[in-house]
Amino acid sequence: NAGVMQNPRHLVRRRGQEARLRCSPMKGHSHVYWYRQLPEEGLKFMVYLQKENIIDESGMPKERFSAEFPKEGPSILRIQQVVRGDSAAYFCASSIGQAHYEQYFGPGTRLTVT
Amino acid sequence: GESVGLHLPTLSVQEGDNSIINCAYSNSASDYFIWYKQESGKGPQFIIDIRSNMDKRQGQRVTVLLNKTVKHLSLQIAATQPGDSAVYFCAEVAGGGADGLTFGKGTHLIIQP
């Protein structure tokens, strides 16, 4: 049973480019969470999605960031016009239901903006 | 400011000794707490959890203590091993339907041979 998968593991973008981060939840999980981790910091909640619905995006920056979890395929975190401050590790977690505390984390995508 | 914080950023212990990692939280509405272990280059890994109606819970080599009076959480690791080297985070789940976990900054546990 594969765990949460994220790709790419490392992503380098120049300022102004777009970054797309993908997350495939564990088999049978229909709830996805995105977190951002700055160096030497804890993880910060960004957004919680179920299939085709954004449930809670209270942690998402108001501009340039968007997330989706389509009926088919992985969840996508999209960052438009990246800036250096977007450089961080982005982690995805999934849960089997609305038991939001039973979250299993993926290995993360490390985004570097040059 | 942070809702959940750690007392010490780095903890160094001798292999075989017991480790105690502390965490303070400020949200009295939090009803569930979790400890995660994060190794370098990896995602957080669940260690143990505790509900707010409990004050102690034991797992394999780990014990979590919750003191709601002073809003303090601790993780005790018995007979520390080299594989325990990692950053440890406490996380809380607030009551009232909040969906995301709130993490503290983490404590880096270093095991001395």
Side-chain angles (χ1 to χ4, degrees):
Chain A
N1 184 17
V4 178
M5 300 176 66
Q6 290 187 247
N7 69 83
R9 294 293 310 277
H10 300 274
L11 182 61
V12 179
R13 285 287 179 265
R14 292 179 178 170
R15 281 179 296 170
Q17 292 184 319
E18 179 180 287
R20 283 186 176 236
L21 289 62
R22 296 175 185 79
C23 169
S24 296
M26 284 182 70
K27 185 177 181 180
H29 288 193
S30 59
H31 299 247
V32 166
Y33 311 78
W34 285 94
Y35 294 83
R36 176 165 61 178
Q37 184 178 34
L38 297 173
E40 304 299 315
E41 297 280 337
L43 283 73
K44 302 287 189 189
F45 168 75
M46 299 180 74
V47 62
Y48 162 44
L49 310 100
Q50 295 178 26
K51 286 284 188 179
E52 300 183 278
N53 285 302
I54 296 174
I55 307 302
D56 180 357
E57 56 181 349
S58 59
M60 286 278 272
K62 296 288 186 252
E63 298 177 346
R64 301 187 299 109
F65 285 72
S66 62
E68 63 177 9
F69 189 16
K71 186 176 181 180
E72 300 291 337
S75 175
I76 306 288
L77 179 67
R78 182 184 178 201
I79 311 173
Q80 296 178 288
Q81 299 176 319
V82 296
V83 300
R84 288 213 172 120
D86 297 333
S87 294
Y90 292 83
F91 290 95
C92 167
S94 72
S95 65
I96 197 167
Q98 204 170 358
H100 47 266
Y101 39 84
E102 297 174 357
Q103 296 179 23
Y104 296 85
F105 283 82
T109 293
R110 276 145 187 86
L111 173 65
T112 301
V113 179
T114 61
Chain B
E2 292 286 340
S3 172
V4 179
L6 278 289
H7 291 313
L8 295 173
T10 302
L11 177 64
S12 182
V13 298
Q14 292 288 328
E15 183 178 348
D17 286 353
N18 297 334
S19 303
I20 300 177
I21 301 171
N22 296 303
C23 178
Y25 66 95
S26 58
N27 187 352
S28 58
S30 293
D31 57 8
Y32 188 72
F33 303 88
I34 311 163
W35 281 100
Y36 282 94
K37 172 185 180 182
Q38 186 176 25
E39 296 174 282
S40 181
K42 297 183 179 180
Q45 179 185 359
F46 175 92
I47 301 174
I48 192 169
D49 58 4
I50 188 168
R51 295 189 180 277
S52 59
N53 61 354
M54 303 169 68
D55 53 19
K56 180 179 181 180
R57 191 170 186 208
Q58 288 185 294
Q60 189 175 19
R61 279 202 311 118
V62 294
T63 301
V64 56
L65 299 177
L66 175 62
N67 185 332
K68 294 180 287 294
T69 301
V70 296
K71 297 179 185 173
H72 183 268
L73 194 68
S74 68
L75 176 70
Q76 301 178 4
I77 305 173
T80 313
Q81 302 168 358
D84 294 329
S85 290
V87 178
Y88 290 81
F89 294 96
C90 63
E92 63 179 315
V93 178
D99 296 304
L101 297 171
T102 300
F103 283 81
K105 287 191 176 181
T107 293
H108 187 192
L109 180 63
I110 299 172
I111 311 303
Q112 305 281 1

